[in-house]
Amino acid sequence: MKVSLTYQQAIDATKVLLVLNKQKLPIRTSLAIARLSNLIDAELKTFTNARNALFGAYTISAQHVAEEGKDLTQFVTGVQGKNPEETRQKKIENLKAFNQKFNALLRSKMPEWDLEPIRLPPTVEDIQPKLLFPLAEIIEILPSADNAVVEA
């Protein structure tokens, strides 16, 4: 099956793959998960380089903030003006331009891959269906007769 994810989908998929990697699954399924993980990790290096270039071009720094039990990323710009009002206006314009470029990067398609579907048993412990959504086009649910789990 041919698959092309956006960078945002790939970032979301890494969370799913981390959970799936911890499961006792059939060997073929585990290999499909490992292969996809490796492909995504390699492509996310390209994304990270492009993101860091944007940070540099717009003098942006990312700060992690814990708020209401969530880990959030806050973008701060180092742009300065001649007075406080000009600085404020320049920061707003700079952040708007950065956000447009960054969101375009997140929506960019990664190269197309020829992948084997990830075939999951109908019941997998500790996985909620909404967690699987980023990989919905790649995941197939096996009929219950095909649920042979191999212990490592």
Side-chain angles (χ1 to χ4, degrees):
M1 107 181 2
K2 299 280 186 191
V3 175
S4 181
L5 302 174
T6 65
Y7 284 108
Q8 182 65 60
Q9 289 171 316
I11 291 166
D12 294 342
T14 58
K15 299 168 192 166
V16 177
L17 293 170
L18 286 172
V19 172
L20 290 175
N21 274 325
K22 295 177 184 177
Q23 301 294 318
K24 290 182 181 178
L25 297 168
I27 291 173
R28 188 175 193 153
T29 301
S30 295
L31 287 173
I33 291 167
R35 181 174 181 223
L36 180 58
S37 291
N38 288 340
L39 290 170
I40 288 176
D41 287 346
E43 268 310 307
L44 287 181
K45 289 178 184 173
T46 302
F47 169 81
T48 299
N49 290 339
R51 181 193 64 194
N52 290 343
L54 281 175
F55 285 163
Y58 290 93
T59 59
I60 300 286
S61 63
Q63 298 175 351
H64 297 284
V65 179
E67 190 174 291
E68 296 179 13
K70 294 182 181 178
D71 185 27
L72 305 173
T73 302
Q74 186 175 30
F75 297 116
V76 180
T77 181
V79 173
Q80 295 293 319
K82 295 176 184 172
N83 58 53
E85 180 56 32
E86 184 181 19
T87 297
R88 189 180 79 71
Q89 192 60 34
K90 282 187 170 190
K91 285 183 176 190
I92 290 170
E93 291 169 9
N94 195 48
L95 283 171
K96 281 183 182 178
F98 168 78
N99 281 335
Q100 286 178 336
K101 295 277 186 174
F102 186 69
N103 288 328
L105 177 62
L106 287 171
R107 289 187 304 270
S108 299
K109 287 279 192 179
M110 298 186 333
E112 187 174 80
W113 298 315
D114 190 16
L115 295 175
E116 187 176 318
I118 296 174
R119 294 178 176 95
L120 294 176
T123 56
V124 179
E125 291 183 31
D126 300 324
I127 294 190
Q128 310 242 336
K130 70 179 183 178
L131 177 70
L132 300 173
F133 188 73
L135 294 175
E137 66 182 270
I138 304 170
I139 291 176
E140 290 180 6
I141 306 300
L142 295 172
S144 59
D146 294 339
N147 286 343
V149 174
V150 177
E151 302 269 339

